[in-house]
Amino acid sequence: MRIGELSKRTGVSPRSLRYYEEQGLLTSSRSDAGQRHYSDAEVLRVSLIRQLFDAGMSSRVIATVLPCVDVPGDLGVAEETFTAMMRERDRIDADIAHLIETRDALDVLIRANSRHRAKLSTTPEPAALSA
């Protein structure tokens, strides 16, 4: 399939697909006219790449992790990717902990604001000045 079809099937822009290819995350063959052609397997690969990007991984880290998909039986690749995956999991855990702390701080502010709003709604309005 050509890049436009891959874009439609994955919801990823052609520009992003070209970027993935530049970063070594995605491969294509070329027609005699220079058009990119992708296999059906690339649809799943693009979905995986998007998921990894959405988890906050950089293209460099994704390039380190993807070989475990490409060469699953290579022990050296498995060890290298395992280390990278564990490092990313630790980073994600730290991000989650930070987000929980931020949410908890926001909850404190929400409760304080709710009390303040309740207090304001029970305070009588000052009498209107007569003209």
Side-chain angles (χ1 to χ4, degrees):
M1 82 188 83
R2 294 187 0 201
I3 195 167
E5 176 67 19
L6 183 60
S7 175
K8 285 178 191 169
R9 289 178 63 183
T10 61
V12 175
S13 71
R15 181 177 181 201
S16 292
L17 295 171
R18 285 188 289 275
Y19 173 77
Y20 297 170
E21 198 167 339
E22 289 169 10
Q23 299 302 305
L25 308 177
L26 189 64
T27 58
S28 67
S29 58
R30 296 290 182 130
S31 70
D32 291 339
Q35 295 176 329
R36 291 174 168 88
H37 289 274
Y38 300 92
S39 70
D40 287 336
E42 299 306 315
V43 173
L44 291 175
R45 187 174 186 95
V46 170
S47 295
L48 175 61
I49 292 167
R50 282 297 338 141
Q51 188 175 15
L52 297 174
F53 270 123
D54 290 346
M57 292 185 188
S58 68
S59 58
R60 182 186 54 79
V61 171
I62 294 171
T64 302
V65 171
L66 282 179
C68 74
V69 175
D70 299 330
V71 193
D74 185 319
L75 181 59
V77 168
E79 289 298 323
E80 182 180 336
T81 57
F82 178 79
T83 301
M85 287 185 280
M86 290 304 295
R87 188 173 43 248
E88 284 304 303
R89 181 176 167 73
D90 291 344
R91 182 193 58 77
I92 290 169
D93 284 344
D95 287 351
I96 290 169
H98 177 72
L99 286 169
I100 289 170
E101 290 173 5
T102 303
R103 183 199 58 204
D104 291 348
L106 187 56
D107 284 345
V108 169
L109 293 174
I110 289 169
R111 284 191 299 274
N113 182 270
S114 294
R115 286 189 303 270
H116 181 70
R117 287 178 28 248
K119 184 179 177 182
L120 289 175
S121 68
T122 60
T123 304
E125 294 284 329
L129 298 174
S130 53

